[in-house]
Amino acid sequence: MIKKIFLFLLVAALLLVGIVLFNTFRFSKEIPIKASKELPALPDSALSHLRAAIRIPTITFGDGLPVDTLQFNTFWQLMEQQYPLVHQHLTHQSFNALSRLYHWPGKHPEQKPYVLMAHFDVVPVEAATAKQWTVAPFGGELKNDTVYGRGVADDKASLISILEATEKLLAQGFQPERDFYFSFGNDEETIGHGAQAIAKYMQEQKIKPEMVLDEGGEITREHFPELKRPVALIAVAEKGYMSFDLTVDQAGGHSSTPAKETAIDILSKGLVKLREKQMPYKVLPLIHEMFQRIGPGLSFAQRMAIANPWLFEKVLVGQLEKDKSSNALIRTTIVPTIVQSGMKDNVIPSVAKAIVNTRILPGQTPDDVEFFIRGQVDDARIVVTKASQADYNGPAAALDSKGYLLVENATYQVTKDVIPVPFLSVGATDSKYFQPFSEAVIKFLPSTDSKGFHGIDERMPVSDFKRMIYFYQIILTQAGK
């Protein structure tokens, strides 16, 4: 009997090993390399235009907070001066006073249009970090073939690249095969009311884009160094956005006679408990597909895990959880971002409040997240309420859609040896408002490992700017094929 059991276990083990090795070796193929093109020379005027745009501080501070409208209007005046053919041949209209929608009619209006998106508002430069910048934050300086300045990577270079490509094509007498719309938002860094108004207008006009292309993913060499090739993270979906208020109301008093627990104590303990446990992981199909496409270039052990997710998924997840960026791809993230309480050093405050920001995986809802927060905090004295409007995190764009394939093809052409893969954008973009009525919403720019994004010394290599202009030129010229 024992021999039979041992024999059965041996056969089962050999069968398991055989299946694992079969899947691994079947999976282990070369990652294809497609020919790229030499990028056209970058005219000096293009760099001048980008640097001039950076010098205008189009800052948004927060939803509902006032902005310097003079700077935003000055930006549009500059665009009209820099791109006369665009403003001669394309129509445009304003939304919420400061956002614009441009329309470039194509030869075949019966074809569904494409939408190219960008935003020109920027986040503020923190006063505490201003001295750490090595250049003036709004100087638009060119140093070592790199353009510096707040907003160059997020997202003025994209807007300028779209207009540069369009101006060049108009000078050549070009007309696209299908209609194009350019949606340029003025408040993406807050809530995106401008883009929301544009999307509402297009929906009311029954304009149904076949593709919407916005910021989101980028090209990276840093995140997959073992591949020794650039990887284009073409986001086909994005996480939802929701903030929650956690509030404690507890009698305060004089600091010389503190109670056993204060409002701050209760809230702090709740936040610690909330951060001690993460929401359960979920590996989305598009993340599985991403690993399928990069897997052949990884080590044998990594290929084995990717080729046999039914057996090694938890091992793969354990590796992803070690890095904050990859961890965000497989679960809804929850983190306190603002804590407020107290007004004087000798007064125990009666109210303590925290704002907790969450980025929600597609397939999960704000109610799911609220349920988790309440359960994890587990204290009725901490009142949990929704503090923001929920973002739509709809289904991913199909990888065989015309839009995705066009972006993938354009990426091959502008980046040597690139490996394009589907990706999940963990940040929110204005394109979310177009999701309900568009066939494919893609979030990608062919910039490489952005530096200083929302931080110190934000910058973009001239080579990236040149690549972006040519990328958009390909999108515009090949959209009818």
Side-chain angles (χ1 to χ4, degrees), residues 136-170:
F138 292 98
E141 292 191 32
L142 178 62
K143 186 171 67 172
N144 298 325
D145 289 326
T146 300
V147 181
Y148 285 73
R150 172 60 83 230
V152 63
D154 184 26
D155 181 36
K156 286 183 176 178
S158 178
L159 186 150
I160 296 298
S161 295
I162 292 170
L163 294 179
E164 287 288 333
T166 305
E167 187 80 3
K168 179 179 180 179
L169 292 172
L170 286 169

Side-chain angles (χ1 to χ4, degrees), residues 241-247 267 271 274 334-340 352-358 373 385-388:
Y241 179 108
M242 170 63 79
S243 289
F244 293 86
D245 283 337
L246 275 62
T247 306
L267 180 62
L271 293 177
L274 181 59
I334 303 173
V335 64
T337 53
I338 299 175
V339 178
Q340 297 172 327
K353 176 181 176 181
I355 295 179
V356 174
N357 184 250
T358 71
I373 292 173
T385 56
K386 293 183 177 72
S388 68

Side-chain angles (χ1 to χ4, degrees), residues 104-376:
W104 191 1
K107 297 176 183 177
H108 302 287
E110 71 279 3
Q111 294 189 26
K112 293 181 180 180
Y114 283 179
V115 179
L116 304 183
M117 299 186 67
H119 67 88
F120 66 103
D121 63 314
V122 304
V123 297
V125 175
E126 294 181 78
T129 65
K131 292 183 179 180
Q132 298 178 43
W133 283 66
T134 61
V135 297
F138 292 98
E141 292 191 32
L142 178 62
K143 186 171 67 172
N144 298 325
D145 289 326
T146 300
V147 181
Y148 285 73
R150 172 60 83 230
V152 63
D154 184 26
D155 181 36
K156 286 183 176 178
S158 178
L159 186 150
I160 296 298
S161 295
I162 292 170
L163 294 179
E164 287 288 333
T166 305
E167 187 80 3
K168 179 179 180 179
L169 292 172
L170 286 169
Q172 298 170 357
F174 174 81
Q175 183 183 11
E177 294 295 315
R178 68 176 75 224
D179 284 19
F180 270 89
Y181 290 89
F182 303 155
S183 174
F184 297 146
N186 72 289
D187 58 352
E188 190 272 350
E189 297 295 356
T190 56
I191 202 66
H193 291 299
Q196 193 172 14
I198 291 171
K200 181 182 178 183
Y201 164 79
M202 295 185 72
Q203 199 165 14
E204 289 173 347
Q205 298 299 311
K206 302 189 184 307
I207 301 169
K208 297 182 178 180
E210 188 169 81
M211 181 191 72
V212 175
L213 178 59
D214 197 8
E215 62 173 338
E218 64 173 1
I219 296 170
T220 180
R221 290 180 178 272
E222 296 177 357
H223 292 294
F224 301 97
E226 61 271 49
L227 295 176
K228 299 179 181 178
R229 289 172 58 184
V231 177
L233 305 173
I234 303 176
V236 294
E238 73 177 47
K239 298 176 82 172
Y241 179 108
M242 170 63 79
S243 289
F244 293 86
D245 283 337
L246 275 62
T247 306
V248 177
D249 193 336
Q250 186 87 346
H254 200 282
S255 62
S256 63
T257 55
K260 185 176 180 180
E261 275 191 311
T262 68
I264 292 177
D265 293 332
I266 296 168
L267 180 62
S268 298
K269 291 175 183 177
L271 293 177
V272 169
K273 287 194 289 184
L274 181 59
R275 292 288 287 158
E276 283 177 342
K277 183 179 179 181
Q278 302 184 88
M279 286 194 71
Y281 78 84
K282 180 181 180 183
V283 183
L284 300 172
L286 72 93
I287 300 301
H288 273 300
E289 181 62 26
M290 179 185 78
F291 284 114
Q292 288 291 319
R293 296 193 182 197
I294 66 171
L298 301 176
S299 69
F300 180 81
Q302 291 170 316
R303 294 200 307 273
M304 186 166 62
I306 294 169
N308 297 278
W310 54 276
L311 183 61
F312 296 114
E313 182 173 274
K314 288 190 176 181
V315 175
L316 182 61
V317 166
Q319 292 300 311
L320 294 175
E321 288 177 334
K322 293 179 180 179
D323 178 82
K324 63 180 182 180
S325 297
S326 55
N327 182 57
L329 296 177
I330 59 171
R331 59 170 36 91
T332 292
T333 56
I334 303 173
V335 64
T337 53
I338 299 175
V339 178
Q340 297 172 327
S341 189
M343 61 179 182
K344 200 171 185 296
D345 63 348
N346 64 345
V347 176
I348 300 170
S350 299
V351 177
K353 176 181 176 181
I355 295 179
V356 174
N357 184 250
T358 71
R359 302 303 173 105
I360 306 172
L361 273 184
Q364 295 179 337
T365 69
D367 289 339
D368 295 332
V369 181
E370 183 175 352
F371 180 80
F372 177 84
I373 292 173
R374 291 181 184 277
Q376 192 63 19

Side-chain angles (χ1 to χ4, degrees), residues 114 210-211 397-406 439-442:
Y114 283 179
E210 188 169 81
M211 181 191 72
L399 303 188
D400 60 355
S401 65
K402 289 182 179 179
Y404 182 84
L405 294 175
L406 175 62
E439 290 186 15
V441 179
I442 313 293

